[in-house]
């Protein structure tokens, strides 16, 4: 696909004319200076005149990478013009279909331009997420990031996705494994696919890891996200260790991730199980503000978040048949769970307040 070419307003012709004009300008001739083209008389010493430095030629601006709207340049007056031009180029590609989508439905350009921009204000201003241990995520190659799950609504996965993209030196993208309920909702289904999420199954996870992608999984599932507020920061069961088997088959390292702050955004004090069965949901939360305040009760509390990535656990040293060893999978699953739980307790002791 051909990259869009941005033509700067100050093109080469204007720069060339400015340089020619600067060459024609010379220092004022003083009395006694020889006239141009006339040689000095014998015995008369020619006075050396200082050279007038020419204006340094303006270097052309580096080309903006495709898929990002160029931001304003420091000290430049054309910053907004460049941003508008980049935005129009983005709209043109969307209207003409000149963009790429992989076989999972992931649209990297739309994710960078729109979806990340929509999530970033919540990440930076509302939850004020602090990231630790980002250097533990590999610079390239596949890796499986395993995190705790909480918060009644799955905002923790989205904030983790922004944390990896905005803080990793290589700007890597995190592909989240989501429950089947996500892909049954009309609008959420399409947005999740565009953002790179896929069904939480071993086949999809293995394909992504073999491609060298970062894959995020939250093994607690609905048991973690829908647990009552009284059990906050107590990890639920990690399933049957399917994520460990996937990591062993692909030889991908496992990076434990601990998220503090998400438990308090919707303090779940009750669960309307009958209503949940009628609606087809795994739970129907009751919080101090929802459903009593209506739509206003769905606004999350502005808690202070911390996301910490732990030291990776390598799996490439095990033989291929290790993925079928139930004892090994149990031990690795327990190791990952204990490391996440220990980090949660440590972060809870270090934080000053839920909101600051």
């Amino acid at each position: 696909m051909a990259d869009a070419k941005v033509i700067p307003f100050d093109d080469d012709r204007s720069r060339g004319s400015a340089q020619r004009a600067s060459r024609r300008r010379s220092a004022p001739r003083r009395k006694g200076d020889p006239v141009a083209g006339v040689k000095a008389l014998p015995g008369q010493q020619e006075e050396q005149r200082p050279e007038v430095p020419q204006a340094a030629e303006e270097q052309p601006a580096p080309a903006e990478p495709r898929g990002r709207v160029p931001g304003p340049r420091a000290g430049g007056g054309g910053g907004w013009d460049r941003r508008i031009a980049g935005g129009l180029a983005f709209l043109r590609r969307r209207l003409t279909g000149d963009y790429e989508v992989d076989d999972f439905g992931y649209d990297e350009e739309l994710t960078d331009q729109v979806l990340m921009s929509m999530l970033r204000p919540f990440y930076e201003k509302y939850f004020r997420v602090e990231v630790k241990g980002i250097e533990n995520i590999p610079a390239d190659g596949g890796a499986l990031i395993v995190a705790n799950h909480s918060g009644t609504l799955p905002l923790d996965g989205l904030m983790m996705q922004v944390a990896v993209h905005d803080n990793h030196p290589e700007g890597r993208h995190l592909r989240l494994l989501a429950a089947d309920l996500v892909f049954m909702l009309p609008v959420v289904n399409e947005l999740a696919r565009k953002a790179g999420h896929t069904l939480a199954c071993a086949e999809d996870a293995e394909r992504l890891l073999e491609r060298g992608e970062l894959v995020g999984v939250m093994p607690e599932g609905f048991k973690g996200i829908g647990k009552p507020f009284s059990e906050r920061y107590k990890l639920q069961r990690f399933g049957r260790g399917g994520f460990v088997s996937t990591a062993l088959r692909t030889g991908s390292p496992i990076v434990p991730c601990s998220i503090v702050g998400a438990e308090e955004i919707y303090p779940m004090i009750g669960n309307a199980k009958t209503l949940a069965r009628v609606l087809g949901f795994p739970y129907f939360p009751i919080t101090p503000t929802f459903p009593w305040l209506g739509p206003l009760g769905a606004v999350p509390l502005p808690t202070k978040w911390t996301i910490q990535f732990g030291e990776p656990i390598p799996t490439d040293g095990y033989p291929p048949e290790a993925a079928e060893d139930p004892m090994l999978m149990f031990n690795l699953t327990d190791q990952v769970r204990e490391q996440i739980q220990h980090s949660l307790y440590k972060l809870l002791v270090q934080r000053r307040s839920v909101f600051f």
Side-chain angles (χ1 to χ4, degrees):
M1 187 183 304
D3 292 346
K5 182 178 181 181
V6 180
I7 302 177
F9 293 105
D10 51 344
D11 58 4
D12 294 336
R13 291 176 296 178
S14 60
R15 289 200 298 266
S17 60
Q19 291 171 6
R20 289 194 296 269
S22 65
R23 293 191 188 101
R24 286 197 297 265
R25 290 194 293 266
S26 59
R29 191 166 61 90
R30 295 174 296 180
K31 186 176 180 180
D33 287 347
V35 182
V38 179
K39 295 183 179 180
L41 295 176
Q44 183 179 1
Q45 185 178 4
E46 184 177 359
E47 183 179 358
Q48 299 292 332
R49 289 177 296 175
E51 295 182 1
V52 179
Q54 297 181 357
E57 183 178 357
E58 181 183 356
Q59 297 294 330
E64 293 286 347
R66 189 177 186 276
R68 294 191 179 186
V69 178
R73 294 167 57 189
W80 284 107
D81 294 331
R82 290 165 55 85
R83 296 185 67 180
I84 293 173
L88 292 176
F90 169 75
L91 292 177
R92 177 185 59 80
R93 290 192 295 271
R94 307 312 297 184
L95 293 175
T96 59
D98 185 20
Y99 57 91
E100 296 179 354
V101 178
D102 69 3
D103 51 349
F104 289 95
Y106 174 48
D107 190 335
E108 181 177 352
E109 184 183 33
L110 182 67
T111 301
D112 285 340
Q113 294 275 5
V114 180
L115 301 181
M116 286 293 172
S117 299
M118 294 172 60
L119 294 173
R120 198 165 284 120
F122 293 94
Y123 173 87
E124 295 179 348
K125 305 298 182 182
Y126 199 78
F127 296 128
R128 294 146 293 147
V129 181
E130 180 183 359
V131 179
K132 298 180 179 180
I134 194 67
E135 67 278 0
N136 291 319
I137 298 178
D140 53 16
L144 187 65
I145 298 180
V146 182
N148 60 305
H149 206 13
S150 62
T152 305
L153 290 181
L155 299 182
D156 49 359
L158 300 177
M159 294 299 105
M160 183 172 64
Q161 188 177 10
V162 180
V164 173
H165 179 269
D166 287 3
N167 292 274
H168 196 276
E170 302 298 329
R172 302 198 66 181
H173 291 270
L174 180 63
R175 310 290 295 270
L176 292 174
L177 302 180
D180 52 358
L181 178 62
V182 173
F183 303 102
M184 295 171 58
L185 302 176
V187 179
V188 177
N189 172 28
E190 190 68 21
L191 291 177
R193 289 290 185 186
K194 295 290 186 182
H197 306 171
T198 188
L199 189 63
C201 62
E203 292 78 9
D204 288 357
E206 286 183 21
R207 288 171 58 192
L208 290 172
L209 289 172
E210 289 172 353
R211 293 182 183 182
E213 300 278 0
L214 285 180
V215 179
V217 61
M218 296 175 167
E220 292 177 281
F222 291 121
K223 301 187 301 294
I225 196 174
K227 64 177 177 288
F229 187 67
S230 59
E231 298 181 12
R232 60 191 180 277
Y233 298 114
K234 296 179 181 179
L235 293 182
Q236 305 299 303
R237 189 171 63 91
F238 268 23
R240 300 177 181 178
F243 69 92
V244 172
S245 176
T246 302
L248 288 171
R249 286 193 180 95
T250 58
S252 304
I254 300 175
V255 181
C257 176
S258 303
I259 303 176
V260 167
E263 294 274 14
E264 293 89 359
I265 59 174
Y266 295 111
M268 186 171 168
I269 58 177
N271 180 14
K273 297 182 180 180
T274 303
L275 186 57
R277 284 196 298 268
V278 171
L279 297 176
F281 295 158
Y283 57 89
F284 189 89
I286 297 176
T287 71
T289 58
F290 183 83
W292 325 115
L293 300 182
L296 187 61
V299 177
L301 297 178
T303 59
K304 176 72 170 63
W305 287 34
T306 301
I307 300 179
Q308 178 170 318
F309 299 96
E311 295 184 3
I313 300 173
T315 63
D316 53 353
Y318 295 95
E321 60 272 12
E324 308 299 331
D325 186 351
M327 186 57 66
L328 176 61
M329 287 193 295
F330 175 81
N331 291 335
L332 287 177
T333 301
D334 190 62
Q335 180 182 352
V336 175
R337 187 180 181 277
E338 288 298 324
Q339 189 168 338
I340 295 175
Q341 185 70 80
H342 178 74
S343 297
L344 287 175
Y345 288 149
K346 186 176 180 180
L347 292 173
L348 288 172
V349 171
Q350 293 175 351
R351 75 171 177 176
R352 298 175 300 170
S353 168
V354 173
F355 300 99
F356 303 101

